Amino acid sequence: MRNFNDELSGAQIRNLEKIIDKKIIDRTNLILDIFATRASSKEGKLQVKLAQLNYRLPRLVGMRDYLSREGGGIGTRGPGEQKLETDRRHILREINNIENQLKEVEANRDIKRKRRINSNIPIISLVGYTNAGKSTLLNKLIEDDDRASKEVFVKDMLFATLDTSLRRGRLPNGQGYLLTDTVGFVSKLPTHLVEAFKGTLEETIYADMLLHVVDASNKNIDIQIKTTMDILKELDVLNKPIITIFNKMDKIDIGSLIYDNRFVEDKIFVSAKNDVNIDNLKQLIQDRLPQEYRYVLMRIPYDEQSILNHLMNNYEIKNLHHEEDGTYLNLSINSIDFGRYKDYIVGWEENYTWKIIIELYLPMVKMKA
């Protein structure tokens, strides 16, 4: 068996196999084979299968397994129809069937995505070259949240993550956020895969911020950075806040790290494996998220427990106190929720002065009572 680091046509594969009498696997076919073994969700498997069929269709004529053979039978145009035509029609039917199934999956995903967007919880998307350590970093970012979901799968191999993972994290100020882990990029990503995983990659379009994870120890670091940025450009998401995270700093000395900084603005150096600089990363994410916060005092009536549950699930609550007219609490709230729940806000401080408003306001409430 021979591997080629480029995409070959069907004729090229056929001719090479004749010359060297070995099975030929080009770059695209190899990636598709790897993807097929990694996909676990229904959508992931359908996407990979669709990419495989779109890759195979134009190569029917040239590939050895699809040499023109006479075939016939019920449902064909006649006993003289070539096996090639039967294969082509079969692939086209499969493609159409998979596309219909994916439309249903995409419709369900769109509904869930709209719910996330309407919740006004910030969405942060991890992007980067395959095996850069995105999943390891995701697990580190969520591990301090006792309400976080289970860890995502991590393994030191290419394309360990194919299916989008969604987890809940928490910033230093208590703000909850959603963190998505996307499929790893690769240079010269086959067109079929870009199209097939378009729905998965769209998670970056709806994100409020992108975390670009880079394997700092990789000798091809510039190629990997440029590959990721080129794909993000195709997705038209370069206008979003992007933090470049140089990961695996346990494998390289920062003084010997050389990279093209044209694509790098906000950056931080971490080791997700060894938990180095993760707290500083969380603070940087909080500082760069395109939201404003105000420290407020709120009074939630007892018949509005759904609001109280939302606040407690998404913010760090301070000075929780129950009175006859409702529950009083302090928290740093984002501008969206500030507007949404303004009728429940009884006082606020600007610019994070963190004055304990409840100590000033609550006595006044009791005096009025």
Side-chain angles (χ1 to χ4, degrees):
M1 183 173 68
R2 293 291 185 271
N3 296 330
F4 284 81
N5 197 29
D6 276 297
E7 187 168 301
L8 302 177
S9 68
Q12 288 174 322
I13 292 175
R14 178 195 62 197
N15 293 334
L16 285 169
E17 287 184 341
K18 281 185 177 180
I19 293 171
I20 65 177
D21 194 29
K22 297 285 185 180
K23 180 176 176 59
I24 300 296
I25 297 179
D26 67 0
R27 174 190 178 85
T28 301
N29 203 358
L30 179 60
I31 292 175
L32 287 171
D33 285 348
I34 295 174
F35 272 41
T37 62
R38 303 280 195 266
S40 58
S41 70
K42 177 182 177 181
E43 182 179 10
K45 292 177 180 178
L46 287 173
Q47 288 170 330
V48 172
K49 182 64 175 177
L50 180 61
Q52 289 175 320
L53 293 172
N54 281 321
Y55 168 82
R56 187 184 305 166
L57 185 60
R59 288 167 173 77
L60 288 180
V61 176
M63 294 176 68
R64 179 175 64 187
D65 293 339
Y66 291 90
L67 293 175
S68 296
R69 298 185 294 272
E70 296 298 320
I74 298 174
T76 66
R77 291 181 299 180
E81 183 182 39
Q82 292 183 328
K83 177 67 163 57
L84 177 64
E85 284 300 314
T86 305
D87 291 337
R88 179 180 287 115
R89 289 208 313 274
H90 175 71
I91 288 177
L92 288 173
R93 282 195 300 268
E94 276 202 82
I95 288 175
N96 183 65
N97 179 48
I98 291 175
E99 288 177 341
N100 289 333
Q101 292 184 64
L102 282 173
K103 286 179 182 178
E104 295 180 8
V105 175
E106 289 167 5
N108 292 331
R109 186 178 62 240
D110 287 342
I111 292 173
K112 294 178 181 178
R113 182 183 288 150
K114 287 178 181 177
R115 288 175 182 168
R116 296 202 304 267
I117 295 172
N118 292 335
S119 72
N120 293 317
I121 299 175
I123 300 173
I124 301 173
S125 185
L126 288 161
V127 299
Y129 210 83
T130 182
N131 206 33
K134 296 186 296 300
S135 298
T136 302
L137 181 61
L138 182 149
N139 288 334
K140 285 295 181 181
L141 287 172
I142 68 172
E143 69 178 359
D144 291 335
D145 184 3
D146 57 3
R147 288 179 291 273
S149 303
K150 64 180 181 180
E151 294 185 343
V152 299
F153 174 72
V154 172
K155 194 169 183 180
D156 185 14
M157 63 183 182
L158 300 177
F159 309 115
T161 300
L162 282 189
D163 304 305
T164 299
S165 301
L166 180 66
R167 298 291 187 272
R168 180 183 290 272
R170 194 168 296 273
L171 297 174
N173 64 6
Q175 165 72 51
Y177 67 94
L178 297 176
L179 190 61
T180 64
D181 187 12
T182 58
V183 60
F185 301 152
V186 64
S187 62
K188 295 187 287 185
L189 190 66
T191 305
H192 310 300
L193 284 177
V194 174
E195 184 62 29
F197 282 86
K198 186 177 180 180
T200 304
L201 295 175
E202 279 181 353
E203 292 296 334
T204 62
I205 298 175
Y206 299 95
D208 297 292
M209 171 184 284
L210 305 180
L211 302 182
H212 175 196
V213 186
V214 179
D215 179 357
S217 67
N218 194 288
K219 63 180 181 181
N220 296 316
I221 186 171
D222 283 338
I223 293 176
Q224 297 191 359
I225 291 175
K226 186 177 185 304
T227 295
T228 299
M229 299 308 289
D230 285 345
I231 294 175
L232 294 180
K233 183 177 181 180
E234 289 181 25
L235 294 169
D236 195 25
V237 295
L238 290 180
N239 60 325
K240 297 179 183 293
I242 300 176
I243 298 177
T244 301
I245 302 169
F246 289 92
N247 189 27
K248 304 187 183 182
M249 291 303 297
D250 52 295
K251 294 184 177 181
I252 186 172
D253 182 81
I254 193 169
S256 60
L257 179 60
I258 301 174
Y259 60 92
D260 187 345
N261 62 11
R262 288 180 300 166
F263 305 106
V264 178
E265 293 184 11
D266 283 332
K267 61 181 179 293
I268 189 169
F269 305 92
V270 310
S271 170
K273 178 182 178 181
N274 295 340
D275 201 13
V276 175
N277 230 11
I278 300 300
D279 288 340
N280 289 334
L281 171 58
K282 292 178 181 178
Q283 185 62 50
L284 182 59
I285 293 171
Q286 177 178 297
D287 294 341
R288 295 296 185 269
L289 261 178
Q291 294 193 79
E292 296 180 359
Y293 293 85
R294 291 181 179 180
Y295 191 62
V296 302
L297 169 66
M298 299 184 71
R299 180 185 67 83
I300 310 299
Y302 290 116
D303 59 351
E304 296 282 7
Q305 288 303 300
S306 60
I307 296 176
L308 182 60
N309 290 337
H310 169 78
L311 297 174
M312 295 189 69
N313 286 332
N314 291 285
Y315 296 99
E316 182 178 0
I317 305 300
K318 295 181 181 294
N319 306 307
L320 186 71
H321 194 88
H322 299 290
E323 293 294 325
E324 291 183 3
D325 58 344
T327 302
Y328 287 80
L329 63 154
N330 283 128
L331 68 155
S332 178
I333 194 170
N334 67 40
S335 56
I336 296 174
D337 281 345
F338 184 90
R340 174 188 285 179
Y341 302 118
K342 62 182 179 181
D343 292 340
Y344 304 94
I345 296 174
V346 294
W348 66 86
E349 286 281 345
E350 303 284 357
N351 302 322
Y352 293 98
T353 55
W354 294 96
K355 194 172 184 179
I356 309 300
I357 306 172
I358 197 167
E359 293 179 355
L360 302 176
Y361 187 82
L362 195 55
M364 295 171 58
V365 174
K366 292 181 176 180
M367 286 177 62
K368 290 179 181 179

